[in-house]
Amino acid sequence: MMAAKWFSVQGQKLGFAFFMLLQHFVHVSYSFPEEIERGSLIGNIAKDLGLDASKLPSRKARVDSESNRKRYCDINLITGDLIVAERIDRESLCGEKVSCILIFELILEGPLELHRISLQIQDINDNAPVFTKEEIKIEINELAVKGSRFRVNEAHDTDIGPNAVQNYVIQKNNHLVLEIQSKSDGSKFAELVMYKELDREEQQEFRLLLTALDGGTPQRSGTAVIHVIVLDANDNAPVFSQSVYQTDIPENSPLDTVVLAVTATDADEGLNGEVTYELIRISETGRKTFMLNPTTGEIKLIGPLDFEEESTYEMRIEAKDGYGLTSDSKVIIDITDVNDNPPVINIKSLTKPIPENMSPGTEVGIINVQDRDSEINRQVRCSIQQNVPFKLVPSIKNYYSLVTTGHLDRELVSDYNITITATDEGSPPLSSSKIVQLSVGDVNDNPPVFEEQSYSTYVTENNKPGSTLCSVTARDPDWRQNGTVIYSLLPGEVNGAPVSSYLSVNGDSGVIHAVRSFDYEQFRSFKVQVMARDNGSPPLSSNVTVSVFITDVNDNSPQILYPAPEGSSFMTELVPRAAHGGSLVSKVIAVDADSGQNAWLSYHIVKSTDPGLFTIGVHSGEIRTQRDISESDSMKQNLIVAVKDNGKPSLSATCSMYLLISDNLAEVPELKDMSFDESSSKVTSYLIIALVSVSTFFLTFIIIILGLRFCRRRKPRLLFDGAVTIPSAYLPPNYADVDGTGTLRSTYNYDSYLTTGSRTSDFKFVTSYNDNTLPVDQTLSKSPTDFNDMSFPFFSP
Ligand SMILES: *[C@@H]1O[C@H](CO)[C@@H](O)[C@H](O)[C@H]1NC(C)=O
Ligand SMILES: *[C@@H]1O[C@H](CO)[C@@H](O)[C@H](O)[C@H]1NC(C)=O
Ligand SMILES: *[C@@H]1O[C@H](CO)[C@@H](O)[C@H](O)[C@H]1NC(C)=O
């Protein structure tokens, strides 16, 4: 690559350069010949501008032209090389201009930087000189003296400088030689100089070959034939009133406007003095725009004038008289600008979508405004509509940054259509506007939020595993996975077991299922934590408490603690014969593991030996004599008591109670008959005998102990002997776990006691059966523990 290049920071004026430097504006120039191959290296712009080539792709480096022309050059984002992107033909781009400079901009974002690239296109000798006409007619009066000069229409070479026409050569002849003249603009033209007079009689006309040569290497040439006509009379050539005509005309002027008129006068009389005009050198576009009236010399407009396309036209006009004598003059028509182009708004870059967590003041777009007019007509002001969290900040030259002014929230406004308006300073001003669509991108900034602060659900016990309890719902307004809610149980324990063995939650729907069947008698409520988590990264979550309340079902029948279930013991209450009506004889003690109505027990005597003798307290279970006991009453009395709860349907249990009306345990032998009522097993009778004897022995032991105690206390508080506590083994498991509202308080264990059959003669009944009669601690602390243990075999042989 032979391209010569130079790098410079330019500034026409000091202030201008200084301002631009502040804005990171650096001007880099490259110079290289036209017509070089596409892809050729112009220079490494990254190096020349001191940019980090590796950052070019991320900074969206690109080359842009000021107007929307072809780009001609491009940047290689990997290497930072500036390369040729299009064929560059200097002649079509710049015509006859001495210097052909293409201006481009290198745009970088984040932060916005703009660098000016100027490409100076050097001429190569790719065009040969061309004469306007193949034959140049020259009329020479036969009286013309030696040294007369005749101008020859110049050849034209679209190349410039040394590649333009440098020399003319004429075929050797006897009359004329060629002299090369330079014009003020540097172009060369030739004049024929006569060195030997012509004689019309000798030669009326002759032809000479004229060659124009340019100065390029290799040299190129063009030829034309000079047709010399020798004239007879004393003729004069026309003369233009001005050597150069110049005028201004505003663009968009109406057709048929007379732009200017040229005049040439001829000294000749009559027909020979009549002058006609002809346009001899004019550009193709000029030929379509202007028409010359051949007789009046008026130049009229016949095509549209656009300052932005062509700001000046140059042409040559030839004046010719009746003899065919000619002269020419130059016409320059300058087009003046009219504000006829509205500003054009170009969106150079736009962040899409804009993450909603962008801090205010972030640049989200770059906008460029162009106005093809010139001077004041291209001064543009740019504005943005109100009420949007964006503003335009003027940046370099015609560039503006679109900057956020506040916090964006996609959940409130996800799209903005903002209108940018650009107005120029012309009069009248022109404006245009553009709608920019901005979308706000989601950021996971909202945790899921449960619809309720806490959830509670009620489930009746003995539910089916897998049954639905309730559902929780959390909402997350974020987008897609950032707003997708997943539910899960937080690990925890209920009664020592993991919560997952009680409940499960559907991750997608938030529906909570029971994993197992619940038992109200085991626990009545529990709490679990459910977490709602979104799918963002990092995810956001929130927790909620779900309380599960288990409601009771009457699924437990009353359990009779005393007397012990039938068949497992033979307990007999001793009723003194002297008992009056209303005396407390015994008490049926039952519990129900259910609660409320399901545990509200009622006691009924369903069968008795003597129906009139005993009653039972419906709710207390206390068995009392209904009347005084008489001698005639049977000694053995048998009651069957049913205990029912109040559930629906209600459940019940029954027990038998054996009462012995006697004052003396000596009468006990007859006891066996009582059991014989229902069982004739001999084994049982032996067992009973063994039992009675052991219990007699045991009771004696108790009496001794109690006696000792009474002796110590002197004032016995207890009115009856042989009080024993219900062994705790009689209580259903978990009984003590039931909280305060339960049917049976733990203290009740110790408040209820039973009177076993006793041989003591001083046995007395307590008529007022009161919980407070025997406080817990007294019974327990004063009674040896082995006492309890020893009592056990009596009840469960
Ligand atoms: C923005 O413009 C587009 C297209 O004209 C339209 O579909 C969209 O609804 C507009 N958005 C707003 C927020 O006005
Ligand atoms: C979710 O949020 C993250 C940032 O928290 C963001 O990068 C991502 O693009 C968002 N996802 C969607 C689908 O918008
Ligand atoms: C929810 O509970 C889990 C586990 O205790 C904890 O890691 C998380 O931070 C909690 N989330 C919230 C929002 O409190």
Side-chain angles (χ1 to χ4, degrees), residues 447 490-491 529-532 540-544:
L490 284 179
Q529 293 270 313
V530 174
M531 178 167 77
L540 298 175
S541 69
S542 53
N543 300 335
V544 77

Side-chain angles (χ1 to χ4, degrees), residues 142 175 197-204 230:
E142 63 176 336
H175 302 281
E197 282 84 357
L198 293 165
D199 184 355
R200 198 166 184 276
E201 280 63 52
E202 189 185 306
Q203 200 173 20
Q204 283 198 355
V230 183

